[in-house]
Amino acid sequence: MTAVYPEEGATVAGPTDSAGSAPTVTGIHTAIEPILRRLGESARTREETREYAFAEVRALGAAGVALTGIPRHDGGAGGSVRAVAELVIAVARADSSVAQALRSTFLIANQVADRADLPHRAAVLERLRHGDLFAGTANERTGGASGQTNATARRAGEDWIVNGEKYYSTGGLYASWFSTQAVAEDGTLIRFTVPIDRAGLERLDDFDAVGQRLTASGTTRFTEVRIHADEVTGVGDPAPAQPWQGSFAQLYLAAVQAGIAARALDDAVAYTRERARPIKHSSATRSTDDPYVRHTVGRIATLARAARAVVLLAAETLSEVRGVTGPQARAARAAAAVEVAQAGVTAAESALAASELLFDVGGGSITDRTLGFDRHWRNARTVANHNPRQWKLAVAGAYHLTGEEPPTTGLF
């Protein structure tokens, strides 16, 4: 089905419009706290009814969440990669689907912060300041090999005409801008960013995974879509100076997992305090005093803390390598990519275990569908399937044993 968006005619003020001053990390957290509270309270019901959080997601954009890691001289909050990761964890703790839907926006913001040579950087920065949201993907479901591009681009004077379909368009229903790529007649890849209201561009609400159901990750269809010359962000596929461009993207997924683990802990504590009853042979009269329930909650808390810790440590490493140049840059970035991969494994396995253990703090009633606690495991499982953990573990092992560099596929 084609998605319908009644809210698209509405406008929101940019995060720096009203006061005219640059945002701060603390100010952004303060501004989004009530938004996250609403998201957390409504997450279960919205998933059940497939109701997207358009108002809340756009409010997050207007509050300047994507400006957290943008340098202050560019009008951002000047936060570190760790500050960005902490914010993503907080959003995922409220609703991991929303955090996932914002991923492309944060990836664009990270490129602005990391690359002075980013194509159209000034225009992208202005859009971020205005609170615009981004989506994009190169993925297709056209039967070709993984990573193959079948969307086509043909010349129309200085412009291009694009036809094709992209899938896993994460955040596509929320976004103002969409970035992807197509292959020209001579085999050259062109990359471009267009507004989502461009004639011939359709966003379909057809994502149907077991978890992360409201990430708006379905199909984006291009039918004779005109791409203006000044919207093209790259032609060809030049090798970057340092090839591990995907480290922040992978850190982001790990942060989402850390948020899921944190929410599993929140729900375990709330259910035990407010609803759980000790089993008949328990030595306690209240579930909060049951030694086995305490053990379970302690285990969930440990897993959630471990996930958060590895994500923040990896974030600090990415901050440290951001300014490294010269001969040391390649080795530093490779080591950072491995650390992010290890963090991703720990965060994913912690979230999966924590969301399964949640059910051990109660009896049969904790499985009631009205509680929706199963969504935590389903969400963690879906995020984990982005990139196989076995590969990450094998790559980390090879690096430690032989110094072999990780692959440069963008998944490390």
Side-chain angles (χ1 to χ4, degrees):
M1 59 180 286
T2 301
V4 179
Y5 318 96
E7 300 89 344
E8 279 187 352
T11 59
V12 293
T16 60
D17 288 348
S18 57
S21 58
T24 65
V25 173
T26 300
I28 291 171
H29 275 275
T30 300
I32 70 172
E33 193 278 330
I35 305 170
L36 298 187
R37 186 168 59 250
R38 293 197 300 273
L39 285 171
E41 291 170 351
S42 63
R44 181 199 63 78
T45 302
R46 282 187 290 100
E47 184 191 85
E48 187 175 278
T49 59
R50 201 172 181 85
E51 179 182 349
Y52 286 94
F54 287 109
E56 288 79 7
V57 171
R58 288 178 180 148
L60 290 174
V65 289
L67 298 178
T68 300
I70 299 293
R72 292 189 65 81
H73 64 260
D74 283 326
S80 64
V81 180
R82 176 181 174 129
V84 175
E86 288 179 322
L87 187 142
V88 174
I89 292 171
V91 177
R93 187 175 191 170
D95 187 332
S96 64
S97 283
V98 168
Q100 189 77 12
L102 292 172
R103 186 174 180 236
S104 290
T105 300
F106 276 93
L107 298 191
I108 289 288
N110 183 69
Q111 290 183 22
V112 168
D114 198 28
R115 292 184 55 191
D117 63 341
L118 183 72
H120 308 308
R121 185 177 186 273
V124 174
L125 183 56
E126 183 58 31
R127 292 164 187 167
L128 290 170
R129 287 179 184 146
H130 188 260
D132 287 4
L133 301 176
F134 293 76
T137 181
N139 294 303
E140 298 182 356
R141 277 188 164 182
T142 48
S146 178
Q148 179 176 327
T149 298
N150 294 299
T152 62
R154 71 175 190 274
R155 276 291 190 181
E158 293 296 312
D159 298 340
W160 298 84
I161 302 298
V162 171
N163 288 279
E165 289 187 352
K166 302 292 178 176
Y167 198 66
Y168 299 122
S169 307
T170 305
L173 305 188
Y174 293 118
S176 304
W177 304 90
F178 191 86
S179 301
T180 189
Q181 62 189 30
V183 63
E185 292 172 315
D186 64 358
T188 301
L189 279 177
I190 69 161
R191 294 176 292 280
F192 54 89
T193 298
V194 293
I196 51 85
D197 59 358
R198 180 64 50 82
L201 192 156
E202 295 177 86
R203 295 167 294 162
L204 308 182
D205 186 15
D206 58 352
F207 183 65
D208 193 28
V210 297
Q212 296 293 78
R213 292 174 176 173
L214 298 184
T215 58
S217 297
T219 299
T220 300
R221 181 177 295 153
F222 290 79
T223 305
E224 294 291 293
V225 176
R226 180 172 291 272
I227 311 299
H228 301 305
D230 61 357
E231 295 170 332
V232 175
T233 59
V235 178
D237 194 22
Q242 70 82 16
W244 294 284
Q245 301 288 314
S247 294
F248 179 80
Q250 298 305 307
L251 179 76
Y252 195 99
L253 294 176
V256 172
Q257 295 282 27
I260 294 172
R263 182 57 182 266
L265 174 61
D266 292 340
D267 286 341
V269 170
Y271 186 87
T272 302
R273 289 175 175 172
E274 299 167 11
R275 299 187 60 165
R277 296 173 298 170
I279 59 175
K280 293 179 180 179
H281 50 270
S282 174
S283 59
T285 58
R286 299 182 306 172
S287 286
T288 52
D289 297 328
D290 188 305
Y292 297 104
V293 172
R294 289 182 171 187
H295 178 276
T296 300
V297 172
R299 180 63 179 150
I300 296 171
T302 300
L303 291 165
R305 193 66 176 176
R308 179 182 179 86
V310 295
V311 168
L312 298 185
L313 284 172
E316 290 177 358
T317 297
L318 288 188
S319 286
E320 292 167 1
V321 303
R322 176 169 281 174
V324 177
T325 58
Q328 299 84 9
R330 186 177 183 95
R333 295 272 187 163
V338 171
E339 183 173 344
V340 170
Q342 293 169 165
V345 172
T346 299
E349 294 184 347
S350 296
L352 287 167
S355 53
E356 196 276 333
L357 284 169
L358 165 59
F359 291 93
D360 284 344
V361 304
S365 60
I366 199 172
T367 66
D368 286 357
R369 291 185 64 183
T370 56
L371 296 171
F373 289 157
D374 61 302
R375 76 184 188 279
H376 301 321
W377 185 90
R378 290 188 289 101
N379 291 339
R381 180 67 264 176
T382 302
V383 177
N385 271 53
H386 275 69
N387 313 126
R389 302 195 303 282
Q390 302 97 313
W391 271 96
K392 292 184 184 296
L393 290 169
V395 164
Y399 177 82
H400 291 297
L401 289 170
T402 70
E404 181 180 335
E405 291 182 342
T408 57
T409 59
L411 305 183
F412 294 90

